[in-house]
Amino acid sequence: LHAVAVLAALGASAAWAWGSVRLRAVRPAPPLLAAVGWQLVWGGLALVLVGSACGEWSRIEPAALFGRPLAALLYLTFASCALGFLCYAWLVRHAGPALAGSWAFVNPIVALWTGHALLGEPLGRGVWAGSALVLAAAVAARREAAPGGL
C-alpha cells in the first residue's frame, strides 16, 4: 500500500504540472471560472472513486457531519478550493506555471495567518521564521521570473 500511495502522490503532482502547462496553452482560453470549475469537478470525482474503492463510505458517521464539520467543509470548498484555484489559474495565465508554483508554498502561510487572525491560533517563532523564509523565496522567484524587480 505504501508504494501505491507514493505512486498516487507522484501521479497527482505530474497531473497538476501537466494541467498547469496545458491551462496556459489552451487557445482560445476558456473562461477562468469554467476552467476552475472543471478542475474541481474532475478532482472531486477522482476522490469519490478512489475513496469508494478504499471503502471510505463505511467510515462515515452521518451524525458527525453537521455543525463545525459542515462549516469546515463549506469553508474548504468555497474559500480554500474555489478561491485558491481561481487565484492559481489566474497566476498560471498571467505569470506562467513556474512562478505560479510558488502558490503551493505561500498558501499554507495564508492559512496559518488566517487562522491566527480569525480564530486566535498561536503563531510561534518557527512560524514567523518560516513565513519570512517562504515569502523571501517567493519574492526572489518573482524577481528571477521578471528581471527588473516587482
Side-chain angles (χ1 to χ4, degrees), residues 62-85:
L65 298 178
F66 299 97
R68 290 186 72 162
L70 181 61
L73 176 66
L74 292 174
Y75 170 77
L76 287 172
T77 299
F78 294 104
S80 183
C81 284
L83 185 58
F85 274 115

Side-chain angles (χ1 to χ4, degrees), residues 49-110:
L49 291 174
V50 171
S52 296
C54 294
E56 293 293 326
W57 291 107
S58 64
R59 298 179 187 169
I60 294 176
E61 295 180 31
L65 298 178
F66 299 97
R68 290 186 72 162
L70 181 61
L73 176 66
L74 292 174
Y75 170 77
L76 287 172
T77 299
F78 294 104
S80 183
C81 284
L83 185 58
F85 274 115
L86 186 62
C87 292
Y88 179 78
W90 184 89
L91 271 174
V92 167
R93 276 205 188 150
H94 294 88
L99 185 58
S102 65
W103 167 84
F105 302 104
V106 175
N107 196 39
I109 293 174
V110 172

Side-chain angles (χ1 to χ4, degrees), residues 2-21:
H2 178 68
V4 172
V6 169
L7 289 174
L10 289 173
S13 296
W16 184 281
W18 179 82
S20 295
V21 171

